[in-house]
Structure formats: structure tokens, C-alpha cells
Amino acid sequence: MPVIRTGRGLHALVFSASWLVLHGLASAQGQGSEAPLRPNVLIFVADDLGYGDIGAHGCKDILTPSIDSIAREGVRCTSGYVVAPRCAPSRCGLLTGRYPQRFGCELDAEKGLPPEETTLAQRLEPAGYATGLVGKWHLGKADEDHPNSRGFAEFFGFLGGLNPYLPRGTDELVPKILRNREPAQVKGYLTEALGREALAFVERHADEPFFLLLSFNAPHGPLEAPAELLARFAGIEEPTRQKYAAVVSAMDDAIGAVLAKLRALELDEKTLVFFLSDNGGPLTKRMWNGASNAPLDGQKGGLHEGGIRVPFLARWTGVLPAGRVYDQPVSALDIAPTVLALAGLAPEKETAFDGVDIFPHLAGRAGDAPHAALFWRFNLSAGPELQKWAIRQGDWKLVHSPERDETTGVPRGVDFTGLYDVAHDPGETTDLREARPEVVRLLEARWQEWNAGLPSSRSRPAPADGDAEPDDAPEDDAPEDG
């Protein structure tokens, strides 16, 4: 019979098969009712990874066998979205299950999540989950915003939006790395160090439920890779793409090591695994990190598919079907409510998630679409001339974006609105607004209704010592391509 793990130990409780079926925990592959309750949760997050840069999406020049194994052994969501085309607000949506526009983190979540917002870690830790964050935070550097203050009992990584991969200075240490609130000495390649820390976390908490967020800075620029990694991709002649491939490959190695540790500790069937990127890859000449968002149009900073549709994979061995492809739109917003439902944790009554429990959809037991519509609103400045917005409803997507001078990137003051059937035209090659004006009117009215319920874009004051890193803004504010 299934085992439920509660508190800080193991307690065997007997449940009937009907209880498991009722709660959606029986295997979608007909393997009976032996699914564990309160699964471990492991979320891998890449940083600025291109949609087309994993083997499962057809990439040929970069090998990603570990990431591909999650797709092969689980569910690949071909219409997986994030809530923003920029690092920090995207992470807000992931951790809260709520649109960041609701609480002023549309642009500057790196200045900290509002205290009234509750992270997934803050919900799981009181319920007996060991909680850990390894890698990038980017949601505030003040003490009250620190990961240890937001539900992560263990933290190893850096607080800002980007970080060197290789050691610096006479001490030959990777800078800005913390263990909880104290400086940590890291020698060697940062991606490998993050992988080691994740392995150690899994080993420490193998006998209790855990939530681990392994948040890579790979492949965010500025890219760095040691010679032995670059040598793997000697056949790639373009130097930026070669370095990008090396950085992605190192991330895949780290993911593979963690997955191997789950197998070695017999935790595969007790662990729900997600993999996604925080947004699409940047493509402009000044910002390009080597990524490809093919076959999608657009990039980081924009609301065309290349900015917000990302690799989105889920695996729970023996519970979710292996090799399933799921085409309906899902969102990073859905991860928190899905995890809480599987953990048996009802959110507080005042919590209004924008995400939904997608487990029945991933398992193949729900035939309807998880969302009636998904919405985006994104400003690159306080000026309304730079406001971008989009809505996807069913197969249709409406995008509103200011046009920019192709050379300078300066807005030309001309609005662009395009209507696309992204289910059949993910590259957004054919604008159907003139052919289907009634759909344009319907979607615009639906978006305006959603937008009317939000506060206007606002910013939290920066900490007194200043929080912004000068090299964060240009990367994250990259204009969309075309």
C-alpha cells in the first residue's frame, strides 16, 4: 500500500485504492494504486534557454540527454508558458502561482517579493517539507527578501540576476556565492558546484519529503566555459553558439547527476520533477547569448512566442505517463497549485491562485483545457508607449506591442497588433487580424477586462544600499526581435 511521508520521518498509512483514484494519484499507465502521497518536488529552472535548444525540441548541435530523458520518461508540454519574458517577474509567477502584475512585480521583482505574497516554499516548509534553493534567486537582496526569509531553509547560490561562472581574483573563488547568509568558497565551474550542492541536498533529505529548486544561471550571459567543455563542441564554428552549447551541456550534466542520484536512492517514484526555462533566449545582436527559439518568433523581452513559450517538462515515474506530448496551454503559474494539491495542502481561503492544478491534465484524465485564457502585460518602462500585452485563448493569440526602429531599438510610436493561430502557426508567420476582426475584438475585450482588475504598473522602493546591478538591465530589457 502507499506510504505517506509526514513531518520529519516516515509513517506508513493505509489508504484505499478509491481514495487514490479520487485524488488523481493512481498511475495514468494502469499501474495500480501504489503512487506515493506527498511527493518530493524537484524543479529545474534554466535561465534564458532557447525553446529550440533541447534535443526533445529537435536541437541537433547541442546534446541534452538528461533534459531529454525527462521528456522521454514523462510529459512534454509543447505549449508551456511563463508569465513574463524577463527573469525576475517570471520567477515571481513560478513561486507564487499568481500573476506578478497583481502585486507590483511586473518589472522589478528583483527588488523583492511583497511580504504579503507567499512562496511555494513558505507553504511547504510548515507542512514538514525540507526546502532548498540552489542557484539563482533574483527576488531581492534585503534581509527580509532573502531566500531563508521566504521559506527556503537551505540556500546556496547568489542573490542577483547574473553571476560569473568561473573564479575571479587572487583567491580564485567564484564571487557573490552564499551559503544561507554567509559567503561560500567556490572554486572551479559554478554550474558543477550547483550540481554538487543539489546532490548533497537530496542525500541529506532522502528520508523525508523535500522541495528543491535548482535554479541555474545557465545559459544567461555573460557566458563562460572551461576549455574542456568548449572542446565538446569544436564542430560549432560560430563562437557564441559554441560557448552557449558548452554552458547548456554543463547544465545538462548537472541535471543528469541529480536524476541519477534519485535513481540510486530509489526516489524516482516518489519525486515529481519539472524542467522549464524562465523565459526565451535573447536574440538581438547586442544581447544574443547563442540561443535559438526556433521554430518560434520573438525573444526574451517580447511577448511573441519566443519570449514566453519555453521548454516545459514534467516527470513522476510510475505515475505520469512516459513519453506523453501535451499540447494544451499550461503555465508556470500552475506548478505551485499542482504541487500543493499533490501534497494535500489546501491554500489559505484568501489565496487566489491564477494557476490551476494541472496534474489531471498531465496524467491524461482531464479532457478540457486547463485555462480558459492566459494573459500577459509587460512594460519596459513606466511610459504607456512601451506597454506590451498579449492573450492566448484556445488556438488564438493576440499580441499588442510597440514597433521599434530596427537599428536603434527606439519605439517609433506606432502600435502593432497581430492575431495568430499559434496552435497551427507557432512561428506567428501569418497575421490573421484582417481576416478575423471578430476574434480580435473578442480577445481585446477579454484582455481589457482582465487588465481592469489589476493595479497599474508600480515599483517597490529599492533598498537603501541599492539593489540593481548595472549589467542586469540591458540583458533583461532586450527588445523583441521584429
Side-chain angles (χ1 to χ4, degrees):
M1 300 303 292
V3 172
I4 182 169
R5 289 169 292 158
T6 60
R8 295 296 183 182
L10 290 175
H11 304 278
L13 295 179
V14 177
F15 285 85
S16 68
S18 61
W19 192 100
L20 289 165
V21 171
L22 178 64
H23 288 75
L25 291 172
S27 170
Q29 295 177 298
Q31 295 181 14
S33 58
E34 298 304 313
L37 306 178
R38 290 168 55 85
N40 303 318
V41 179
L42 172 58
I43 304 176
F44 298 112
V45 178
D47 195 353
D48 291 6
L49 179 69
Y51 184 87
D53 287 329
I54 63 173
H57 284 179
C59 184
K60 302 300 184 184
D61 60 346
I62 304 175
L63 301 179
T64 56
S66 302
I67 297 171
D68 298 340
S69 75
I70 302 175
R72 185 176 60 254
E73 299 165 7
V75 182
R76 178 167 65 94
C77 299
T78 57
S79 294
Y81 290 95
V82 289
V83 300
R86 177 178 170 178
C87 303
S90 175
R91 293 161 193 272
C92 274
L94 169 66
L95 285 176
T96 65
R98 287 163 46 81
Y99 284 114
Q101 294 87 351
R102 295 197 185 281
F103 46 88
C105 289
E106 186 167 353
L107 285 173
D108 57 357
E110 62 267 26
K111 294 191 176 84
L113 273 168
E116 61 270 19
E117 295 299 321
T118 306
T119 70
L120 177 58
Q122 285 174 298
R123 298 182 188 280
L124 291 174
E125 187 182 27
Y129 273 73
T131 56
L133 167 63
V134 174
K136 175 174 174 174
W137 174 236
H138 205 196
L139 295 179
K141 297 178 181 177
D143 187 69
E144 63 269 22
D145 298 319
H146 190 280
N148 290 156
S149 300
R150 302 312 299 258
F152 290 100
E154 300 179 31
F155 169 60
F156 178 89
F158 58 96
L159 298 176
L162 55 90
N163 207 77
Y165 293 81
L166 291 170
R168 298 284 194 274
T170 56
D171 58 4
E172 296 186 349
L173 297 176
V174 178
K176 302 182 183 180
I177 303 302
L178 301 176
R179 185 178 300 281
N180 296 320
R181 289 181 165 87
E182 300 299 322
Q185 293 191 344
V186 176
K187 296 185 177 182
Y189 196 52
L190 178 58
T191 304
E192 295 173 355
L194 299 181
R196 290 194 298 270
E197 287 295 323
L199 291 177
F201 179 92
V202 170
E203 287 181 329
R204 283 195 301 274
H205 301 292
D207 293 329
E208 57 188 322
F210 65 76
F211 165 43
L212 174 61
L213 175 61
L214 178 46
S215 177
F216 294 96
N217 57 319
H220 195 298
L223 300 177
E224 297 177 320
E228 59 269 23
L229 281 175
L230 290 171
R232 294 182 183 179
F233 300 95
I236 299 180
E237 296 182 358
E238 207 293 320
T240 302
R241 179 70 176 178
Q242 182 194 40
K243 190 177 292 185
Y244 174 88
V247 170
V248 170
S249 182
M251 176 178 66
D252 189 77
D253 287 348
I255 290 172
V258 177
L259 296 177
K261 179 61 67 175
L262 292 180
R263 288 192 294 272
L265 297 175
E266 298 183 345
L267 295 177
D268 268 354
E269 296 185 358
K270 302 175 184 178
T271 306
L272 173 62
V273 177
F274 285 102
F275 173 86
L276 71 162
S277 180
D278 62 352
N279 46 247
L283 302 181
T284 55
K285 183 176 181 180
R286 184 169 64 98
M287 301 300 172
W288 186 50
N289 67 344
S292 168
N293 295 321
L296 309 179
D297 182 41
Q299 62 164 315
K300 176 180 181 176
L303 296 181
H304 286 286
E305 294 291 273
I308 54 177
R309 192 194 288 208
V310 298
F312 195 116
L313 313 174
R315 189 196 81 174
W316 187 356
T317 303
V319 181
L320 288 176
R324 183 164 190 251
V325 177
Y326 185 68
D327 295 326
Q328 292 287 350
V330 296
S331 171
L333 293 168
D334 302 327
I335 291 178
T338 298
V339 167
L340 292 173
L342 294 172
L345 299 174
E348 295 84 351
K349 292 182 179 179
E350 64 272 15
T351 298
F353 285 126
D354 293 302
V356 299
D357 175 9
I358 57 171
F359 181 83
H361 302 272
L362 299 180
R365 294 186 297 100
D368 58 331
H371 296 273
L374 290 172
F375 305 90
W376 293 266
R377 189 184 75 184
F378 185 66
N379 294 329
L380 296 182
S381 78
E385 71 278 5
L386 288 179
Q387 180 171 289
K388 303 176 181 182
W389 58 263
I391 174 175
R392 176 165 178 180
Q393 181 171 312
D395 293 350
W396 294 108
K397 181 182 173 191
L398 185 67
V399 183
H400 175 86
S401 179
E403 289 189 350
R404 292 176 175 267
D405 184 279
E406 294 179 0
T407 301
T408 66
V410 175
R412 295 189 297 219
V414 179
D415 285 338
F416 166 77
T417 301
L419 176 69
Y420 305 97
D421 178 356
V422 290
H424 304 94
D425 180 23
E428 295 168 298
T429 61
T430 304
D431 183 358
L432 299 172
R433 56 183 161 163
E434 293 186 3
R436 301 298 301 271
E438 77 284 2
V439 178
V440 173
R441 290 192 295 269
L442 174 67
L443 294 187
E444 183 167 8
R446 184 77 184 270
W447 184 88
Q448 294 290 358
E449 180 183 9
W450 173 78
N451 187 57
L454 300 176
S456 60
S457 181
R458 58 189 173 88
S459 299
R460 295 183 67 205
D465 61 351
D467 186 56
E469 297 184 11
D471 47 359
D472 279 4
E475 181 79 11
D476 283 349
D477 283 348
E480 61 185 313
D481 189 19

